[in-house]
Each structure stands twice: as structure tokens, then as C-alpha cells.
Amino acid sequence: MKVTINGDAGELPDGTTVAQAVRTLTAMTSGVAVAVNDVVVSRGAWESTSLTENDRVEVLTAVQGG
Amino acid sequence: MSDEDDVLVIGGEKFSSRLIMGTGGAPSLEVLDRALEASGTELTTVAMRRLDPAVQGSVLDVLRRRGIKVLPNTAGCFTAGEAVLTARLAREALETNWVKLEVISDERTLLPDPIETFDAAERLVADGFVVLPYIGDDPALARRLEQAGCAAVMPLGAPIGSGLGIRNPHSIELIVEAASVPVILDAGLGTASDAALAMELGCDAVLLATAVTRAQRPELMASAMRSAVEAGRMARLAGRIPRRRYAEASSPSLPGFA
């Protein structure tokens, strides 16, 4: 299925979870937050939330700013 | 500070430092680390961005090591919807319900959009956030945001990163007079006298980044800002003399010496 992670479109196996999608970018779990289609997925739900075709996943962290 | 009881309270939390730092613009985490230490800050902003696997080291590690409370901002957002989502992501990532709400109107001036900011503030307060909105030097908007439940208001001195200082001290004074939440002068400060003036006008705290991080010697400027905020606060508490048009002798006149 086609999924976009941080703006990059790619193919992931059907049933890929949010947790697996995050692990394509980082092994970190603290200091990271995820939104799927502009809705926050809390860390406790990463393993149990499966992505679906054309989902837009945003994986954010804190950077220098302000 | 000579007055040990003079603490800043935001959202029920106490701070002995009235200098809030930003982290943008520092050439490296090492420079930032030393500047933060020199500033004596207890509260510091970070931005939320897409995770880049290539980036090593995190500003969060620096803040954690120094025991500085993290204040996520919504920098880069143009709409209330974007700001609310960014605040929720920050709450999830950083485990804080505090947010510096920043909704800008355009890239050239980076001036805050009052309509979107107010909309986002109402939604975030309803969602349980401690909201610190970045606004223009507008006393009416400041009052409305306080009424909407914001924990502080953060009027600008001048556009972000401009170093122009406080362009409208009168408006800042009007905001201070009317506010019962902390007023934090945010953005536009260039040097120590700007920070001292903010405190002399009655602001409860100052937030700055560029003035320190892009100074030729960031650590030294951080020390200067720390001293300026303390000096300005003490001067405010001390109560300055009124301005006069003409001299008033400070030595007694000498009778018979005419």
C-alpha cells in the first residue's frame, strides 16, 4: 500500500503499524509524536494502529527554535 | 536578585529567573548549552519539526541535562488548525501541556495573526493547555486572550529577529496596566538595554533568542541579558523618579553664600 511518511511517498506492506512506520525513521520512542492524517496517535496506540492506503504520517520531534 | 520572594508565577508554576530563552539560531548545541547556562534561564522554547534521521544530538538533551523546563512553540503555523495540531503533537512528544502559541501571518514580517491566534487559543484552553500566546503590542487583544483563559500574554517588541528593540513602549505599558496574567515581552530585542527597558515598563519576563544566539559572543550576551533583566526588574520594583523638564538641585542650597 502507498503511505506518505514526512512527505515521502513509499510502499509499505498491508497491515503496517504506526510503530513500524516510526521505526523506519528512528529507534527513539521518547521525544517523538505521530499524527496520521492530521490526527495525533498517542504513543500507547502505535502498536495497535494499522495504517491504510494513502495515509499521511507525520513523525515530529523537538528542534531548536523560537 | 536581592528580593528572594520576587518569583514569577505562570500557570501556577514558580520561576526565579525572568529570562525565558529561545533556542533558534545557535550555531551549535555546544554554543547553545553554554549560553543557556550563562542566561540562568529556567524555561526555554523549542520548535516541532519533522524528524530527520540524519540529525545527531537533540536540543532536548541539552535542556534535560540543565534541568530547564521545555516550552514547545507552534512556530511555522499559519492557521489555528495547524497550531492546535502542532500543540497536541508537542504535548505527546514532550509530555507537557504548556505551549507558546505562535500563528504568523506572513513569511516576510513573521507578525502574529490575531484572528487565527485567538481562535487557536480558545481551542487549546478548552483542551487543557497552558497557553502563552505571542501577539502584537495590542492591549485589546491581550485583554481578550486573558479573558479566554491564557496563562500569560507575550506581546512583541519588534518583529522576530529584527533587533529593533521595543518600538511602542506605550502600548506595552498599557498591556501591563490592564493584565492580571504575566506579560512576557517576546521578540525583537537586540541588546541588554532593550531587555532592561521591558522590565522597567513592568513586564514580568522577557523571551529572547536571536539577540543571544546570533551575537558575536553568545555566552557573554546571555550573561548581559541576565543582568539586564535583573536590573530592570529591580528598577521597576524600586520605582523610578518622575521625569522633569528642568533641573532639581540634589545638593542643599547654602544660605548666606549668595
Side-chain angles (χ1 to χ4, degrees), chain B residues 81-155:
Chain B
E82 289 170 7
V84 169
L85 176 59
T86 302
R88 287 177 176 154
L89 284 162
R91 178 169 63 183
E92 177 71 16
L94 308 178
E95 292 164 8
T96 176
N97 63 345
W98 285 42
V99 64
K100 177 191 160 184
L101 174 61
E102 187 176 333
V103 190
I104 57 173
S105 57
D106 68 273
E107 290 279 8
R108 193 169 68 87
T109 67
L110 298 180
L111 288 170
D113 183 315
I115 312 295
E116 297 295 323
T117 301
F118 188 81
D119 181 10
E122 284 191 316
R123 289 155 69 177
L124 290 169
V125 168
D127 198 10
F129 281 88
V130 174
V131 182
L132 293 76
Y134 167 62
I135 58 172
D137 50 12
D138 179 348
L141 179 61
R143 193 163 57 241
R144 290 290 298 268
L145 285 163
E146 179 181 333
Q147 289 165 353
C150 290
V153 289
M154 310 183 80

Side-chain angles (χ1 to χ4, degrees), chain B residues 232-254:
Chain B
R233 176 64 180 174
M234 283 190 276
R236 172 72 180 188
L237 294 176
R240 60 152 300 149
I241 61 166
R243 290 178 173 83
R244 296 175 190 277
R245 280 177 66 80
Y246 302 106
E248 185 181 59
S250 57
S251 304
S253 55
L254 295 177

